[in-house]
Amino acid sequence: MIHVNANRPRSISRYLVLEVDGGLAEYTDTFQAMRMAVGHGHGETGLEDVPNFFPVAAYHYVPYENPTQRRMNLVANGIFWELSEPGPDVAEMTRAEPFVPSDRIVKMRGSVAFCTRTEGGLSDSQVDAIRKAHTRAVDHLQSMGWL
């Protein structure tokens, strides 16, 4: 039997966890602890790279057995949209991969952790950008009456 965490480093990383209600909290812990904070067990998981904001990714988990936790995380999806806004390099087409607007649309459910695939986790500037995107996403959702 292969252990699911066998290929994950046990190094400490900085990450942000966003709850479905829009609450955002910062943690510094291992990848395994982040997985436990977001959720674990029998379910769907995903690690979505945020386009145009490398190396930041969004880790999400939805359990099969608990449909109440399958609620759409509108704020996390909004943050993903905000962070993946194309930069000037897209207009110049200097990217290795062409920009596809639909890549900015995700449908994450449950708690979501914004993290990196690199040692040490999120930098101060990445945390700041995520917090600003969180504010913009919450403001937009509230103006629409969805939050």
Side-chain angles (χ1 to χ4, degrees):
M1 181 169 134
I2 298 174
H3 193 269
V4 294
N5 293 328
N7 63 345
R8 300 288 185 191
R10 293 223 177 252
S11 63
I12 302 298
S13 291
R14 181 181 186 191
Y15 58 93
L16 297 171
V17 174
L18 183 70
E19 300 298 335
V20 175
D21 65 4
L24 185 66
E26 183 176 330
Y27 298 93
T28 304
D29 213 329
T30 62
F31 179 84
Q32 292 77 9
M34 181 189 73
R35 283 188 67 221
M36 298 299 277
V38 171
H40 60 284
H42 291 77
E44 300 173 21
T45 62
L47 187 61
E48 307 288 334
D49 289 321
V50 180
N52 305 311
F53 201 57
F54 180 83
V56 175
Y59 177 79
H60 54 101
Y61 163 79
V62 180
Y64 292 136
E65 66 275 357
N66 190 346
T68 61
Q69 290 180 343
R70 297 184 64 82
R71 187 170 150 213
M72 188 76 69
N73 192 326
L74 297 175
V75 179
N77 295 335
I79 290 172
F80 193 93
W81 174 268
E82 292 282 340
L83 294 176
S84 58
E85 182 176 12
D89 64 332
V90 173
E92 298 169 12
M93 293 302 197
T94 58
R95 291 179 44 145
E97 298 176 19
F99 172 68
V100 179
S102 63
D103 287 348
R104 293 178 69 191
I105 300 170
V106 293
K107 294 184 179 177
M108 296 180 286
R109 300 174 186 278
S111 300
V112 175
F114 285 91
C115 58
T116 65
R117 295 177 184 254
T118 58
E119 289 288 321
L122 298 170
S123 68
D124 289 341
S125 63
Q126 290 165 337
V127 167
D128 186 48
I130 293 168
R131 289 189 184 282
K132 286 178 181 175
H134 174 260
T135 299
R136 290 189 305 270
V138 167
D139 289 348
H140 176 73
L141 290 166
Q142 287 175 338
S143 73
M144 301 288 287
W146 295 351
L147 189 61

